[in-house]
Amino acid sequence: MKQQLTQEEIQFIDNYLKNSGVEYIDTRSEVVDHVASEIENRFIENNTSDFYEEFKMYMIQHKKALLKNIHKYRWALDKRILKQVVKNLFHQKVLAFQTLFLVISITLLNTSLIDQVDFKAIHIVIAGSVVFLSLIYPFFWFRKQKISVINRSAVLCYFINYLVFDLVLKIVDDYIFTYSISLVIITWFNISFAFTQVNYFKFYKDKFLLS
Amino acid sequence: MSNSKLYKGSLSIIILKLLTETHKMYGYEITQKVKELTQGELNITEGALYPALHKLEADGFLEVEMQRVDNRLRKYYKLTQAGNKEEVSRIEELERFIETIQGIVNPKPSLG
């Protein structure tokens, strides 16, 4: 009696879930394992090896609960990312990059070059790079698969930058002072976001590509 | 999962308790273990289990480890140091709660 699903059957479950809106590979892999384990258990309990029949029965009973879980997952994920980003603000590598940024900025402020430096452009390049690289680079690296934690961190990074520069700065009077302070803080966050994403990237690269 | 709200409120405690006794577990294994321990009385659904696991992970009480098993990836959950402390604290809280409710539901007869 067959007890384990084949690679093709696992792929079938994966494709089905992907087409049902479970877009992130890390989330989907956990659900695929759950569904596959349940079907294998049903093979034993029902003394059968009809994969498609057991899969169909399982989905009729559980699809709603499975997909509901995915939407609940997003908030838990955002919370996890933000906690990690805040924690990484005080990591020595992040502090070192932030210090470097401050040293360069202060040096420029004390030279005649300051008039030629467009800090807004620098900020857009830094924030844009974090968001762009976190969305595009992993997309190709993981064979066009999306990783939830990396994609969501890019979205959060974009949202925080947008909030500060497009909303907060439009409602304050002391523009130059607020802008300088905001730029220092947001750059610190952006460096931490980049550092956090690199760490997540390494973790998932090991798990999804090399395993 | 059983419809009882009492069970739903205890899900994270159940997960933490199981993980103190078993070094690491994956989602489906947790559902089966609970079913076995409660002789089928408590049936945890996917819709309840995974949000609870992800919340505990987001709170820093669980960490994950991934392994390739039987043609697929499996996500194992393990307690962190903070998770161990949380488990002790929540179990104590649960025991106090049970004791209090016991005092109301089954009051000891007074000697006077």
Side-chain angles (χ1 to χ4, degrees):
Chain A
M1 176 64 62
K2 178 172 136 177
Q3 288 184 0
Q4 274 182 13
L5 299 190
T6 63
Q7 187 65 54
E8 289 73 30
E9 288 163 343
I10 297 290
Q11 194 57 50
F12 177 87
I13 301 172
D14 191 62
N15 290 341
Y16 179 87
L17 291 169
K18 195 175 179 181
N19 294 332
S20 301
V22 191
E23 56 180 341
Y24 298 122
I25 186 178
D26 47 331
T27 319
R28 209 166 61 238
S29 65
E30 184 169 45
V31 183
V32 168
D33 183 44
H34 189 99
V35 176
S37 300
E38 175 62 25
I39 293 173
E40 286 171 352
N41 196 26
R42 288 177 181 213
F43 282 169
I44 300 165
E45 282 180 358
N46 302 341
N47 198 23
T48 177
S49 57
D50 187 343
F51 167 74
Y52 292 102
E53 182 59 25
E54 293 303 327
F55 177 76
K56 192 175 80 185
M57 293 309 294
Y58 176 81
M59 278 302 161
I60 289 169
Q61 293 161 358
H62 299 275
K63 189 177 177 183
K64 202 177 162 188
L66 274 177
L67 297 183
K68 188 177 152 198
N69 152 47
I70 302 307
H71 298 301
K72 283 189 181 175
Y73 177 67
R74 196 162 288 173
W75 169 234
L77 186 67
D78 290 351
K79 195 172 150 192
R80 192 177 114 202
I81 295 165
L82 287 173
K83 276 174 95 170
Q84 195 59 45
V85 168
V86 171
K87 195 177 162 190
N88 284 344
L89 284 173
F90 303 97
H91 191 282
Q92 54 185 17
K93 284 183 184 170
V94 173
L95 288 173
F97 274 106
Q98 176 66 2
T99 308
L100 186 68
F101 173 78
L102 286 174
V103 168
I104 292 170
S105 304
I106 292 165
T107 309
L108 284 171
L109 281 172
N110 292 324
T111 65
S112 57
L113 282 172
I114 187 66
D115 296 334
Q116 295 164 35
V117 176
D118 185 347
F119 279 99
K120 193 166 187 176
I122 292 174
H123 164 253
I124 291 169
V125 169
I126 294 173
S129 304
V130 173
V131 174
F132 182 77
L133 289 176
S134 58
L135 284 172
I136 302 299
Y137 185 59
F139 182 71
F140 289 108
W141 186 269
F142 292 109
R143 296 168 195 163
K144 299 185 181 176
Q145 298 277 10
K146 288 183 182 174
I147 307 284
S148 67
V149 77
I150 295 171
N151 274 61
R152 288 302 299 171
S153 65
V155 172
L156 289 171
C157 181
Y158 171 78
F159 179 71
I160 290 172
N161 278 275
Y162 172 77
L163 202 70
V164 171
F165 285 97
D166 284 348
L167 295 179
V168 175
L169 290 181
K170 277 181 185 165
I171 52 169
V172 291
D173 296 330
D174 189 3
Y175 187 80
I176 294 175
F177 176 76
T178 316
Y179 185 81
S180 310
I181 296 293
S182 302
L183 185 62
V184 168
I185 294 171
I186 205 69
T187 303
W188 191 13
F189 265 92
N190 284 335
I191 294 169
S192 185
F193 260 108
F195 180 75
T196 307
Q197 284 169 350
V198 168
N199 284 341
Y200 280 135
F201 183 79
K202 280 182 190 164
F203 176 81
Y204 285 104
K205 182 172 74 96
D206 292 344
K207 301 303 169 194
F208 287 92
L209 208 72
L210 303 178
S211 55
Chain B
M1 187 178 225
S2 169
N3 281 329
S4 170
K5 284 183 182 172
L6 291 173
Y7 285 132
K8 282 181 184 167
S10 309
L11 183 55
S12 56
I13 303 175
I14 293 169
I15 294 169
L16 292 171
K17 181 68 184 165
L18 286 177
L19 287 169
T20 49
E21 288 165 2
T22 311
H23 174 57
K24 61 179 182 182
M25 292 179 97
Y26 57 97
Y28 186 75
E29 188 182 12
I30 293 173
T31 63
Q32 295 307 101
K33 187 73 184 171
V34 169
K35 209 169 165 183
E36 181 197 318
L37 289 172
T38 62
Q39 280 98 42
E41 168 68 18
L42 188 52
N43 195 7
I44 303 176
T45 62
E46 306 84 334
L49 175 71
Y50 289 104
L53 282 169
H54 297 150
K55 189 178 180 306
L56 287 168
E57 189 191 348
D59 290 339
F61 299 136
L62 301 183
E63 59 184 352
V64 298
E65 185 186 303
M66 302 199 68
Q67 275 180 24
R68 190 163 280 279
V69 180
D70 299 337
N71 297 322
R72 57 191 184 257
L73 281 170
R74 180 160 286 168
K75 190 173 178 182
Y76 284 96
Y77 292 89
K78 292 195 287 191
L79 280 185
T80 59
Q81 217 168 12
N84 270 308
K85 283 182 193 163
E86 184 69 11
E87 189 267 340
V88 173
S89 140
R90 289 205 196 179
I91 291 288
E92 280 173 5
E93 195 184 335
L94 181 67
E95 281 170 351
R96 279 199 305 274
F97 172 77
I98 293 169
E99 214 172 290
T100 308
I101 295 297
Q102 195 84 18
I104 298 166
V105 177
N106 288 320
K108 286 176 188 166
S110 85
L111 293 172

